Amino acid sequence: MFIIKTILIICLLFVFACNSNKSEEEMEELWSKAQTKEMIIRRSGTKFNSASDMDLALRDAETRLQTGGGLLGKGGLSLGGILNGDENNSSNLSNNNMSINVFLWRGSLDTVNFMPLSSADPVGGTIITDWYSTAENQNERCKLNIFILGKSLKTENLKVTSFCQEFKDQIWVNKNVDKDNNIKIENAILNKAKKLRLQSS
């Protein structure tokens, strides 16, 4: 027992001696540089844009660095891959036991791809668009919140909520939204999701 303790003490002294070449200030500086959000994102190779969604990019970056993969496996998740129907990406998503339906997710992104995204969380199944105005009507703008609630491709697993505003007296004023419009968007997403499922089989 005494010999084992002695060997451990010698090993610890050796480790401390190796680290003594660098001052504590240098070590702290190196560590702080290595742990800035920008450095973590840059090192990880994440496909998410930190300028548009820092939290999503950072979460994907940290997962990549810890596991060797992205949020949803080694290939990660790219919006381009989803919209283009990348088969490898589709298999990655389904093999990682997503808590949401991959076809509803892809169908939602494809349906609203003309609108700027505020955030997209494939783990929680939420897509939030930014405000969008048409060129013909700049005094009205709308945004969407899309929630995918389950793994099955069913109507009840999709919820769309829209918000619209009108520019009056130099301010944006909320408008009442016809709930039928939300149902129309849900139907468009469901139809797209069904087509994507047929294409993948």
Side-chain angles (χ1 to χ4, degrees), residues 128-146:
I128 299 173
T129 73
D130 209 340
W131 292 105
Y132 173 77
S133 298
T134 62
E136 295 80 27
N137 190 0
Q138 299 269 336
N139 290 327
E140 186 175 312
R141 64 182 187 177
C142 294
K143 66 182 293 187
L144 300 174
N145 290 355
I146 302 171

Side-chain angles (χ1 to χ4, degrees), residues 145-161:
N145 290 355
I146 302 171
F147 303 97
I148 301 165
L149 309 170
K151 295 183 83 166
S152 322
L153 208 169
K154 294 181 180 176
T155 309
E156 56 263 31
N157 285 337
L158 179 66
K159 172 81 173 160
V160 174
T161 307

Side-chain angles (χ1 to χ4, degrees), residues 18 46 62 66 69 82 84 93 100 120 127 134-135 142 148 152 177 181 188 196:
C18 290
T46 180
E62 288 173 340
Q66 289 168 3
I82 290 171
N84 295 328
L93 296 176
I100 62 168
I127 298 168
T134 62
C142 294
I148 301 165
S152 322
V177 177
N181 290 337
L196 290 168

